[in-house]
């Protein structure tokens, strides 16, 4: 087992020795706590957004170019929109739009409401952005699973034809500093059979059986290192964990971007936005940062 240099806020590829199975593991600590506490999210909504961020890290870290992966779901339920915007440097941001009263109404039972209950009828979407000079690639499936993990498995089955299993976990853990949000995720995919490899069916069946034993508590436990978790699952065959990519919460909003957006409105529309002090205030949906721009939109702005 390769020892890694990071213990948290990481995503890494792993390989089960001799198996036609590839996998990735994500562990999120302070970075996901930052994202989930930017807004006053009810617990089920924070859980949904945490799942989206862990999933985006798992899938986005497989991109072979500099770009972005956007994982989003939208529907007619209490949560109308959830999104995580991940770039290949490891930076990510996320946001949920929800109706607090409707979320409270579906949260009355013993079980925490999942993706299908919160989002209702709608779509699960993954968008790959390869940069300004390249076309975006977008895959869309219906929301059918009660978790985003099931939505992702359905997406890969339909859009990529790649057998995939995903586990996601989100929760609060107190290790002496009060409850802190954490998230984790693991994904395995079957490598297709070929003449040299032969059938991969038996190995894939066995990998899924071991993978299924992963507990949600293990995925978010800060005292279980990534390599320890993988060793517990695949020690009989050996597993190699590659050097991880560090993850960080980071928003791309800026005064310049906000000014460009405001400049797209007419003078009359901007006039309606001006507050008594002569400023137009805009709050970033992702990070909650408030920008106060002069109504005339000069380059110099005040936060």
């Amino acid at each position: 087992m390769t020892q890694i240099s990071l213990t948290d806020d990481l995503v890494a590829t792993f390989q089960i020795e001799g198996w036609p199975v590839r996998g990735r593991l994500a562990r999120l600590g302070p970075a996901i706590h930052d994202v989930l506490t930017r807004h006053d999210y009810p617990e089920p909504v924070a859980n949904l957004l945490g799942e989206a961020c862990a999933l985006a890290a798992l899938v986005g870290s497989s991109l072979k170019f500099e770009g972005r992966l956007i994982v989003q779901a939208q529907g007619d339920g209490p949560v109308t929109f959830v999104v995580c915007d991940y770039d290949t440097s490891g930076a990510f941001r996320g946001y949920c739009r929800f109706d607090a009263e409707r979320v409270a109404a579906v949260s009355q039972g013993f079980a925490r409401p999942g993706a299908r209950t919160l989002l209702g009828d709608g779509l699960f979407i993954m968008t790959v952005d390869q940069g300004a000079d390249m076309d975006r690639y977008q895959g869309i499936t219906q929301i059918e699973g009660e978790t985003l993990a099931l939505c992702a498995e359905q997406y890969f089955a339909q859009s990529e034809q790649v057998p995939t299993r995903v586990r996601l976990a989100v929760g609060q853990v107190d290790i002496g500093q009060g409850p802190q949000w954490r998230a984790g995720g693991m994904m395995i995919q079957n490598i297709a059979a070929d003449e040299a490899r032969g059938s991969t069916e038996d190995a894939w069946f066995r990998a899924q059986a071991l993978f299924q034993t992963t507990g949600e508590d293990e995925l978010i436990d800060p005292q279980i290192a990534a390599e320890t978790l993988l060793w517990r699952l695949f020690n009989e065959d050996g597993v190699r964990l590659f050097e991880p990519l560090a993850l960080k919460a980071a928003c791309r909003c800026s005064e310049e971007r906000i000014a460009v957006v405001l400049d797209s409105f007419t003078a009359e529309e901007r006039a309606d936005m001006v507050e008594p002090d002569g400023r137009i205030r805009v709050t970033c949906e992702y990070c909650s940062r408030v920008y106060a721009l002069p109504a005339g939109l000069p380059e110099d702005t005040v936060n």
Side-chain angles (χ1 to χ4, degrees), residues 94-164:
Y95 170 71
C96 262
R97 188 179 303 128
F98 64 96
D99 182 315
E101 292 185 358
R102 294 180 67 193
V103 170
V106 298
S107 304
Q108 298 300 313
F110 291 104
R112 180 173 58 194
R116 185 68 175 84
T117 299
L118 291 171
L119 290 161
D121 292 326
L123 301 174
F124 175 81
I125 306 166
M126 285 197 195
T127 304
V128 176
D129 185 347
Q130 303 180 67
D133 299 328
M134 302 289 289
D135 291 335
R136 283 188 169 192
Y137 167 77
Q138 189 172 80
I140 303 174
T141 61
Q142 294 289 323
I143 297 172
E144 293 184 1
E146 188 58 20
T147 68
L148 286 187
L150 292 173
C151 291
E153 290 178 1
Q154 179 186 3
Y155 167 87
F156 280 106
Q158 294 185 3
S159 299
E160 307 288 340
Q161 287 80 54
V162 178
T164 303

Side-chain angles (χ1 to χ4, degrees), residues 175-258:
I175 55 173
Q177 300 175 325
Q180 302 287 306
W181 282 105
R182 296 185 59 80
M186 188 184 298
M187 179 170 71
I188 58 172
Q189 293 183 308
N190 187 33
I191 300 174
D194 57 25
E195 291 186 3
R197 191 175 294 113
S199 174
T200 63
E201 184 176 346
D202 290 344
W204 178 237
F205 179 82
R206 185 179 176 195
Q208 290 182 85
L210 294 172
F211 176 82
Q212 193 62 30
T213 67
T214 309
E216 290 190 5
D217 57 333
E218 293 179 298
L219 286 172
I220 64 173
D221 190 335
Q223 297 181 341
I224 300 177
E227 59 268 39
T228 300
L229 176 56
L230 291 176
W231 184 86
R232 288 180 179 179
L233 292 173
F234 307 113
N235 64 86
E236 290 186 6
D237 296 274
V239 58
R240 182 162 44 133
L241 184 64
F242 294 91
E243 189 67 23
L245 172 68
L247 301 174
K248 58 184 179 294
C251 192
R252 294 196 310 277
C253 67
S254 67
E255 295 171 351
E256 292 75 15
R257 288 174 181 265
I258 298 298

Side-chain angles (χ1 to χ4, degrees), residues 38-39 93 95 251 253-254 258 261-262 275 280-293:
R38 291 283 181 173
H39 299 271
R93 60 180 184 166
Y95 170 71
C251 192
C253 67
S254 67
I258 298 298
V261 172
L262 288 177
E275 298 185 11
I280 297 176
R281 285 179 171 78
V282 179
T283 302
C284 176
E285 286 188 326
Y286 285 92
C287 69
S288 296
R289 182 178 178 183
V290 178
Y291 292 87
L293 287 80

Side-chain angles (χ1 to χ4, degrees), residues 35-101:
V35 169
L36 299 186
T37 54
R38 291 283 181 173
H39 299 271
D40 186 18
Y41 291 123
E43 190 267 347
V45 177
N47 180 81
L48 182 67
L49 179 54
E51 286 188 350
C53 292
L55 177 60
L58 289 172
V59 179
S61 61
S62 69
L63 299 179
K64 306 301 183 184
F65 50 82
E66 292 187 5
R68 297 162 53 210
L69 173 76
I70 302 167
V71 173
Q72 68 187 78
Q74 56 197 51
D76 60 4
V79 176
T80 55
F81 182 67
V82 58
V83 62
C84 180
D85 184 343
Y86 171 94
D87 73 46
T88 47
S89 72
F92 69 95
R93 60 180 184 166
Y95 170 71
C96 262
R97 188 179 303 128
F98 64 96
D99 182 315
E101 292 185 358

